[in-house]
Amino acid sequence: MGWLAKVFERNPSGLHWPRAVMFLDVALVPLLIFWAIGHEQYLLSAVFGLLFSALADPGGGYGRRASHLAVFGLIGAAVTALASGIGADAWGWLVLASFAVTLVASLAIAFGVHRFIGAVLLNVWFIVALGLAVSLHHAAHISDHAWAQTAAWAGGVALWLAVTFVGWLFTGRHDVSQPMAELPGDTSRRRLTPQLITFAVLRAVVIGVTVALAFGLNLSHGSWMPIAAIVALKPSLEQATLASAQRLVGALIGAIAAALLLLIPTSEHGLRVFAVERGLEVVALVFFMHGAALRFWNYAHYCAAIAAGALILVDLPQPSDYAAEGYRVAWTFCGVGISLLALLLAGLLAKHTAKPPPQQA
């Protein structure tokens, strides 16, 4: 009970419904656009571009915010193009790209904690986009273009820039605080110590291994393994254990909720299927809205909301069954287990190679 209480421990000051409602209002824009053009397979890229831009927004003067988000958006567009472009290639290229992206993102700590968080967000998005590209490649009846996924991501970033510009005008062109005040805003440079480099290489190796297992063995819904692994990789084993437990519980809750909802269109036909699918896309955005509200309230609830929303948008083009959700939970356990094992082995190796303190005479 003490362990469960820690997993579901809540921070009352971390609940932000106004922020969540604002995200839902803005996210309805790309939803309506993709409804109008009939290409809902690109909605996930636009939503993640919008959400991660809000998380990476440094606040301050609008010129500084715009330049920072423009760079973030351009790097994210390159990452999206890479993931979408290699989705149909051999699994070795996927492993190589995942290793390189993770290593570069981890070394971004040299540019400050805030920029490191932005790099980690792009790293997570690369893994998600890679899984989406592989999934759409296997769905022969769905068209998927790397340039369209890239444009959808860039559109999400541009939409957040437009929203912040309007807000800046309405507030009298004054500087504003960081939208996600709970995230560190430190941008001071740091020296890359051997410990930081070792942790960066460890993260890259773990992600490379999980990507190799997921796509090399052609596991059903195997992309959930590297996603779970990258979320579970924390600087300390204690932090990683708690985050992993919350990630597992959240993934299980989100997978069950998505499975129940995704079984609805399988029993419908004709026009009713179209109506149900459009309704489920709105439900997915509502889940993302709850994720925006619960991110700093409780991480397990946040993971459940984000997992449910992402599962619905990924699976709607090809609705699955209970077995698919079971695979996702199983691969989540495997990804978390690999991360914890790597951290444990790294900790034991560090203790073994550490020099003993000099003895006083």
Side-chain angles (χ1 to χ4, degrees):
M1 291 302 297
W3 177 81
L4 283 177
K6 199 168 185 179
V7 169
F8 290 105
E9 184 179 3
R10 298 183 295 271
N11 176 22
S13 62
L15 192 62
H16 291 282
W17 287 113
R19 176 193 300 168
V21 173
M22 182 189 69
F23 170 78
L24 179 62
D25 292 342
V26 179
L28 288 174
V29 175
L31 176 64
L32 293 176
I33 291 175
F34 288 116
W35 275 357
I37 64 177
H39 291 286
E40 292 82 4
Q41 66 268 33
Y42 304 117
L43 178 61
L44 190 66
S45 295
V47 170
F48 268 88
L50 173 65
L51 176 61
F52 282 178
S53 296
L55 290 171
D57 192 338
Y62 187 76
R64 174 176 176 267
R65 298 173 69 189
S67 61
H68 180 90
L69 290 175
V71 173
F72 178 82
L74 288 174
I75 298 175
V79 166
T80 307
L82 176 62
S84 302
I86 65 175
D89 293 345
W91 64 271
W93 291 109
L94 276 61
V95 173
L96 181 62
S98 300
F99 178 89
V101 170
T102 305
L103 182 62
V104 172
S106 302
L107 294 176
I109 187 64
F111 299 99
V113 179
H114 184 79
R115 294 187 178 94
F116 170 71
I117 291 175
V120 170
L121 291 174
L122 293 177
N123 194 180
V124 172
W125 165 241
F126 174 79
I127 302 299
V128 174
L130 195 61
L132 177 65
V134 173
S135 174
L136 292 177
H137 172 68
H138 290 157
H141 64 286
I142 302 174
S143 62
D144 181 45
H145 303 284
W147 66 266
Q149 295 287 1
T150 305
W153 162 272
V157 178
L159 180 58
W160 180 253
L161 277 169
V163 170
T164 55
F165 179 73
V166 173
W168 178 66
L169 292 178
F170 273 98
T171 56
R173 302 182 181 181
H174 296 301
D175 294 354
V176 297
S177 58
Q178 185 175 305
M180 302 294 178
E182 298 86 352
L183 294 176
D186 180 24
T187 57
S188 57
R189 298 294 182 92
R190 295 193 175 199
R191 187 175 64 88
L192 286 177
T193 62
Q195 291 81 5
L196 291 177
I197 296 175
T198 301
F199 183 66
V201 173
L202 176 66
R203 292 181 82 248
V205 169
V206 170
I207 298 306
V209 169
T210 52
V211 169
L213 292 174
F215 300 112
L217 299 178
N218 198 23
L219 300 177
S220 177
H221 307 285
S223 61
W224 277 68
M225 188 186 299
I227 293 174
I230 197 170
V231 171
L233 282 169
K234 302 295 181 183
S236 71
L237 185 61
E238 183 180 359
Q239 290 178 342
T241 303
L242 178 59
S244 300
Q246 293 175 321
R247 175 76 176 96
L248 284 173
V249 172
L252 182 60
I253 296 173
I256 293 174
L260 295 175
L261 291 170
L262 287 168
L263 288 178
I264 298 176
T266 59
S267 60
E268 304 293 345
H269 303 281
L271 186 61
R272 291 181 63 87
V273 174
F274 178 82
V276 169
E277 288 180 349
R278 302 294 79 76
L280 287 177
E281 287 169 354
V282 176
V283 171
L285 290 187
V286 172
F287 275 123
F288 282 128
M289 179 197 75
H290 282 77
L294 304 175
R295 173 60 183 89
F296 301 100
W297 185 67
N298 177 263
Y299 188 65
H301 289 88
Y302 163 78
C303 288
I306 296 298
L311 277 173
I312 291 173
L313 292 183
V314 169
D315 275 12
L316 266 183
Q318 42 184 350
S320 53
D321 51 23
Y322 287 116
E325 311 310 326
Y327 281 126
R328 289 190 181 92
V329 175
W331 304 144
T332 299
F333 271 93
C334 292
V336 166
I338 292 172
S339 292
L340 293 180
L341 179 61
L343 289 172
L344 179 60
L345 293 177
L348 293 175
L349 181 62
K351 289 181 179 179
H352 180 72
T353 57
K355 295 181 180 180
Q359 296 181 354
Q360 294 183 357

